[in-house]
Amino acid sequence: MKTFRTTLIAMIMTCTLFTLGSCQKSATQAEAQNEPQPWVIDRFDDIKVLRYEVPGFENLPIEQKLLVYYLAEAAKCGRDILFDQNFKYNLTVRRALEDIYTKYEDDRSAAEFVALEKYLKKIWFANGIHHHYSNDKFQPEFTRAWFEPLVGKYAKENLSIDEKLLCDIIFDNTLYPSRLNQADGVDMVTESACNYYEGVTMKEVEEFYAKMADLNDPKPISYGLNSKLMKDESGKIYEKVWKLGGMYSEAIEQIIFWLEKASSVAEGAQKSIIDALINYYRTGDLREFDRYNILWVGDNKSNVDFVNGFIEDYGDPLGRKASWEGNVNFVDSTACRRTNIITENAQWFEDNAPINPAFRKKEVKGVTAKVITVAMLGGDCFPATPIGINLPNADWIRKEYGSKSVTIDNITYAYDKAAQGNGFTEEFVLREEDRARMKEYGKLADDLHTDLHECLGHGSGQLAPGVKGGELKSYTSTLEETRADLFGLYYLGDEKMIEIGLIPSLDVAKAQYADYIMNGMMTQFARVELGKNVEESHMRNRKLIAEWCYEKGKKDNVIEWVKQDGKSYIVVNDFDALRRLFGELLFEVQRIKSTGDYEAGRKLVEDYAVKIDPTLHKEVLERYNKLGIEPYSGFVNPDYELVEKDGKVVDVKFVGKYNFIEQMLEYSQKYSFLPSLN
Ligand code: ZN
C-alpha cells in the first residue's frame, strides 16, 4: 500500500534533518559559489516535474553503492511493462510519437509541434495515454489532419498497427475513454481500458477467481496478481502469466540480469531475498512470491532496501492484478528516531484504538518502520511517486509476519522546497491562527500522519473469523486507505504523542486537522476535471472522512463553511469534537473491514466520497488556476555511474541529470525491451 502526498500546501521548512550543511550557508553565498539547481525542472499542463537529492549516498560503503547501482538498473527495466499494463496500445502510441518527435524536420516552434511535445510529455508522465490520477484519456491539442501525414513520414517503420487505428486511439474520444472505470453498476472490466483483462466480462472474471479461491487455506494465494486474464480461440478463459518465458519476458529477463548482479554483492539474508525474487520472476509461482515477501519483511538489518515487482492493485478495477514498480532506497538513520518511537509503542496504539476490542490485534508483530532516502524510482513509482509505502499487501503475511513501512523523506523535502511561497495557504486558509500552525508544524504533521498511517494504520486490526478479505470488492482500496488515515488522524491528536516526545504540543494535530478537512472537502478537487467524480482511492478516502465528519458534527458546528468576499472557506471550530468523530468513524470502518460488510462499505463510499458539488468545484478550480500551481508533481531520477580503475569498479558516482525530456527519451531507448504489442 502506498501513501501519496495529501496536501498541496506550501510550507516553510525548518531545516533539520538532511541539509544542515548547505542551509547554514547564506543564500547569497551559495548562489555566488554555485548557481543552485531549481527544484522545479519542468512544467506542462497540470504537472510539474521536480528533482530530488540523494543525501548520504556518497558516504555509503562501496558494496552498498554497488548494490544501489544494480538494483537501480533493475528498477528502470520494467518501465515498458507498466506502459503495457496501463493500456494495450500505450507502447505503440508512445513509440510513434517519439519517432515523430525526434525525427521531425519542420519548424519545432510551430503551435502544432509544441502541442505534440506537450501531449508526449503527458504520456511519459502518466506511463500511457490516460491521466495518471483521473484515468481519463488525454485530449491532444493538435489536429488529426496535421498529425496523420507525419505518421506515414516518420513513424511507419516501427508501427505495429495500421495508421487509422493509431489515429482513432489518439483522437476518437469515444474510444478507450477511461483507464479505470469503477462507477457503480457498470461492467468495470469491459469499461476500463487497462490491459489486465481482454475479451472477458466482470462476471466471468469474478467466477473464474471464485473457483480458484480456497476459502479454507490459511495462507491464501493472491490469485491473479501476476497475469492477464483472457480467452483463447475456443473461448476458454486462461491466465497469461508475467514471468520469464511468459508475458513481458523480454523485460523480465533484463530485470533478472540486474538482480543477479545485485545478488552477487548482497550479503547473507539480503542475498536470499533477491534470489527468491529472481526465482519468482523465473517461475511466476505466487507461492514463491509469498516466500520472497516473508523473507523480505523479516529483514530489518540491511541498510539498502528495494521494491521490485508486481505489487499494487490500484490500477485494476477489481483490485486483483498488480502493476509493476521499482524503488531503491537506504535508511536515513537520523530521521528514524521518529518511526522508532512509533514502533516501540505499536502495541499501546493497538490496545487503545477506538475500535471493537474483538477486532484489535492481540499481539502486534513485526511492525517495522523506517525513514528512507530513495535513490531510484521506477514503474508505478515514477515519475509520480508515493511518499510512504507499506508492504507486503497479503493480509495473512501481514498478520503472521508483520509489515515493513517506510516514509520517504528526500521526496517530501523536495515537495516542500518546490512549494515554498506559492500563495496556496493565503488563498484557501481563512484564519490566521490556522495558517500560523500550518506554517510552523505542517511538515512535521504531514510526516507524522504518514508514519502513523503506514507504520500502524494499515497493519492494525484483524478480521473476524471466517472473513478472508476481498469481500469489499471494488471498495477495498478506498476503505483501507480510510482506515489507515483515520488511525493516523486519531492518534496525532492524542496526549500520548506529547508524552513520547513526538510532538511539542497538540497544535501539530490542529495544523493537520484543519489542513486535512480543507483538502478533503475542497482543495483536492483542483485535481479533478469539472463535471467528473472523485475516482482515485486516496482522494475518495479523504473526501469520505471530511464529509462524514462534517455531516455528523453539523449540529454542534464542528466544521463550518464560511463565505467571505464571495469565496468559500472550510474551517474547523472544534478540534476535540473532530477527533472524537475520527474515532467513531474508525470504529465503523474497522467493523466494515473486519466483518466484510460490503453493503455498509459501499454506502459510505457512494454517499460521501464520490460526488462533488459543481458550484464549489468550479470555484476551487478558478481560484487554484489563478495561483498558477500545477496540482500534480512527479520527479526525474538521478543517474549513477560506475567509476573504474585498472579494470576494477572502485566507486559509484551520483550524477544529477535534470532534464525531463532527455531522461524520458533515454529511458525509451536504453530501457525499452518489449515489443509494441504483448
Ligand atoms: Zn495507505
Side-chain angles (χ1 to χ4, degrees):
M1 276 161 267
K2 285 178 182 174
T3 306
F4 292 91
R5 189 154 156 267
T6 50
T7 68
L8 306 159
I9 290 195
M11 282 160 302
I12 308 302
M13 264 288 284
T14 43
C15 94
T16 45
L17 292 176
F18 346 92
T19 52
L20 280 170
S22 59
C23 284
Q24 279 163 353
K25 265 188 258 166
S26 75
T28 42
Q29 216 185 343
E31 274 159 29
Q33 283 170 359
N34 198 351
E35 193 64 30
Q37 288 261 12
W39 287 94
V40 182
I41 59 148
D42 206 341
R43 296 174 186 274
F44 47 91
D45 208 49
D46 56 358
I47 303 286
K48 59 178 173 296
V49 182
L50 317 179
R51 67 185 173 92
Y52 60 93
E53 295 180 338
V54 189
F57 178 77
E58 283 82 4
N59 304 327
L60 295 177
I62 177 71
E63 302 75 35
Q64 292 186 19
K65 281 185 180 174
L66 267 177
L67 185 57
V68 167
Y69 178 84
Y70 294 138
L71 290 170
E73 289 301 304
K76 288 184 266 188
C77 290
R79 179 170 173 256
D80 279 1
I81 296 178
L82 181 68
F83 266 86
D84 194 75
Q85 287 180 315
N86 280 341
F87 174 52
K88 183 180 172 170
Y89 297 111
N90 271 339
L91 288 170
T92 305
V93 176
R94 187 191 84 196
R95 284 171 178 157
L97 286 160
E98 284 171 349
D99 272 345
I100 295 169
Y101 182 76
T102 49
K103 294 176 191 164
Y104 190 73
E105 289 158 338
D106 228 323
D107 179 8
R108 296 178 81 92
S109 63
E112 299 264 38
F113 187 81
V114 172
L116 179 124
E117 181 182 272
K118 179 175 163 186
Y119 180 66
L120 181 54
K121 279 183 178 179
K122 286 160 73 173
I123 290 175
W124 283 329
F125 191 89
N127 294 293
I129 64 168
H130 300 89
H131 194 281
H132 75 289
Y133 218 76
S134 74
N135 303 311
D136 295 330
K137 193 164 87 169
F138 294 130
Q139 311 272 336
E141 293 165 38
F142 48 89
T143 62
R144 185 168 182 152
W146 175 79
F147 179 76
E148 213 159 346
L150 299 179
V151 179
K153 193 167 172 193
Y154 299 115
K156 210 168 163 63
E157 219 176 302
N158 301 317
L159 201 61
S160 52
I161 55 176
D162 73 58
E163 292 163 64
K164 184 182 173 303
L165 178 58
L166 176 75
C167 289
D168 287 347
I169 290 166
I170 296 174
F171 294 97
D172 184 346
N173 295 335
T174 62
L175 218 52
Y176 312 111
S178 175
R179 177 167 67 91
L180 182 67
N181 187 340
Q182 290 183 294
D184 210 13
V186 305
D187 185 319
M188 297 182 217
V189 167
T190 52
E191 294 299 313
S192 298
C194 59
N195 192 23
Y196 295 117
Y197 307 97
E198 190 167 332
V200 288
T201 64
M202 186 162 136
K203 193 164 163 280
E204 285 171 325
V205 175
E206 281 171 350
E207 282 169 4
F208 182 87
Y209 285 112
K211 262 186 228 153
M212 278 177 118
D214 176 1
L215 294 177
N216 298 314
D217 190 347
K219 300 174 177 181
I221 296 175
S222 307
Y223 285 117
L225 188 78
N226 64 339
S227 64
K228 176 175 175 176
L229 196 68
M230 48 203 299
K231 275 182 187 160
D232 66 14
E233 293 97 56
S234 70
K236 194 170 168 291
I237 300 176
Y238 74 104
E239 283 186 327
K240 202 167 166 187
V241 179
W242 308 325
K243 61 169 191 170
L244 192 70
M247 195 168 173
Y248 303 142
S249 185
E250 301 88 336
I252 288 170
E253 195 181 321
Q254 297 295 323
I255 294 167
I256 291 175
F257 173 84
W258 290 109
L259 287 178
E260 281 176 337
K261 294 250 182 205
S263 169
S264 75
V265 294
E267 287 177 3
Q270 194 151 36
K271 187 174 160 42
S272 35
I273 294 168
I274 299 172
D275 292 345
L277 180 62
I278 293 170
N279 203 37
Y280 164 60
Y281 272 131
R282 287 188 188 284
T283 59
D285 180 355
L286 286 165
R287 283 267 182 242
E288 195 59 13
F289 184 57
D290 287 344
R291 190 174 77 85
Y292 153 76
N293 275 313
I294 292 165
L295 288 171
W296 179 80
V297 83
D299 173 25
N300 301 312
K301 296 217 171 63
S302 301
N303 192 48
V304 174
D305 204 353
F306 71 105
V307 177
N308 187 303
F310 305 103
I311 309 290
E312 305 281 1
D313 55 23
Y314 301 115
D316 172 8
L318 302 184
R320 182 175 290 278
K321 315 262 164 208
S323 61
W324 190 89
E325 70 177 41
N327 171 320
V328 186
N329 62 74
F330 55 91
V331 174
D332 178 344
S333 44
T334 325
C336 278
R337 180 193 155 267
R338 213 173 63 210
T339 47
N340 286 341
I341 296 176
I342 292 175
T343 50
E344 280 161 18
N345 289 281
Q347 191 67 52
W348 185 91
F349 285 108
E350 185 73 14
D351 293 345
N352 289 278
I355 57 175
N356 184 334
F359 305 143
R360 286 185 194 139
K361 267 205 179 87
K362 302 294 163 277
E363 195 191 335
V364 179
K365 277 186 210 164
V367 174
T368 63
K370 285 184 285 191
V371 181
I372 57 164
T373 303
V374 289
M376 186 59 67
L377 302 165
D380 220 354
C381 293
F382 176 76
T385 182
I387 53 170
I389 304 175
N390 181 313
L391 291 172
N393 282 330
D395 266 322
W396 73 268
I397 300 180
R398 301 167 72 84
K399 199 174 160 206
E400 272 188 47
Y401 300 92
S403 62
K404 261 205 269 193
S405 185
V406 297
T407 41
I408 309 175
D409 255 18
N410 59 329
I411 294 296
T412 49
Y413 182 77
Y415 275 137
D416 285 325
K417 281 289 177 195
Q420 280 175 19
N422 66 9
F424 178 86
T425 344
E426 291 72 16
E427 177 59 37
F428 287 104
V429 183
L430 179 67
R431 292 182 181 158
E432 173 51 35
E433 71 231 48
D434 284 323
R435 286 203 290 268
R437 277 193 293 258
M438 287 174 192
K439 187 173 166 185
E440 187 164 5
Y441 297 122
K443 167 86 162 79
L444 176 63
D446 271 354
D447 286 347
L448 279 171
H449 185 234
T450 309
D451 292 338
L452 290 166
H453 172 118
E454 292 293 347
C455 308
L456 302 179
H458 280 307
S460 73
Q462 63 179 8
L463 302 179
V467 178
K468 290 286 166 196
E471 288 82 0
L472 304 176
K473 294 181 189 165
S474 63
Y475 298 104
T476 305
S477 303
T478 297
L479 291 165
E480 177 57 20
E481 295 310 323
T482 304
R483 203 177 65 85
D485 253 7
L486 284 166
F487 199 95
L489 289 166
Y490 178 80
Y491 276 122
L492 195 58
D494 199 304
E495 294 282 349
K496 182 81 176 177
M497 298 292 282
I498 303 177
E499 189 193 302
I500 58 181
L502 284 172
I503 57 172
S505 82
L506 291 178
D507 276 2
V508 178
K510 290 181 183 172
Q512 179 71 10
Y513 288 7
D515 177 20
Y516 192 94
I517 297 296
M518 174 183 73
N519 190 39
M521 290 180 74
M522 186 161 79
T523 48
Q524 67 166 347
F525 304 152
R527 297 177 168 199
V528 181
E529 207 182 305
L530 194 62
K532 293 264 157 71
N533 289 333
V534 180
E535 301 287 352
E536 198 276 334
S537 46
H538 295 81
M539 285 183 73
R540 281 187 165 190
N541 108 59
R542 286 173 217 138
K543 185 168 184 303
L544 194 167
I545 293 173
E547 300 274 6
W548 188 92
C549 292
Y550 171 73
E551 194 185 288
K552 300 292 166 189
K554 212 168 180 178
K555 61 179 191 314
D556 301 320
N557 208 24
V558 176
I559 300 168
E560 184 185 5
W561 279 109
V562 178
K563 270 270 185 197
Q564 192 168 299
D565 303 329
K567 290 179 180 176
S568 311
Y569 298 89
I570 189 92
V571 288
V572 177
N573 291 321
D574 187 340
F575 290 99
D576 291 333
L578 179 58
R579 178 166 184 259
R580 283 195 296 276
L581 290 169
F582 288 150
E584 282 171 33
L585 184 55
L586 179 53
F587 188 96
E588 171 62 3
V589 174
Q590 182 64 56
R591 185 197 66 77
I592 290 171
K593 178 178 180 179
S594 291
T595 59
D597 187 345
Y598 172 81
E599 192 43 42
R602 188 196 69 82
K603 199 160 167 4
L604 260 189
V605 176
E606 294 297 336
D607 285 356
Y608 295 102
V610 180
K611 296 215 160 44
I612 311 174
D613 170 55
T615 318
L616 174 71
H617 195 178
K618 191 161 167 277
E619 181 192 325
V620 171
L621 287 170
E622 279 168 9
R623 286 164 68 185
Y624 203 86
N625 287 340
K626 264 193 204 146
L627 293 175
I629 312 169
E630 298 81 359
Y632 302 99
S633 311
F635 290 85
V636 287
N637 278 318
D639 216 341
Y640 300 87
E641 280 172 11
L642 297 179
V643 182
E644 288 183 33
K645 204 175 163 188
D646 307 326
K648 256 191 77 180
V649 178
V650 290
D651 199 7
V652 182
K653 208 171 84 191
F654 173 89
V655 189
K657 285 205 293 193
Y658 303 125
N659 184 304
F660 183 62
I661 296 180
E662 279 173 19
Q663 182 156 88
M664 291 298 107
L665 286 172
E666 185 196 326
Y667 282 13
S668 293
Q669 237 194 354
K670 270 174 73 179
Y671 301 98
S672 194
F673 307 108
L674 296 182
S676 291
L677 293 175
N678 289 278

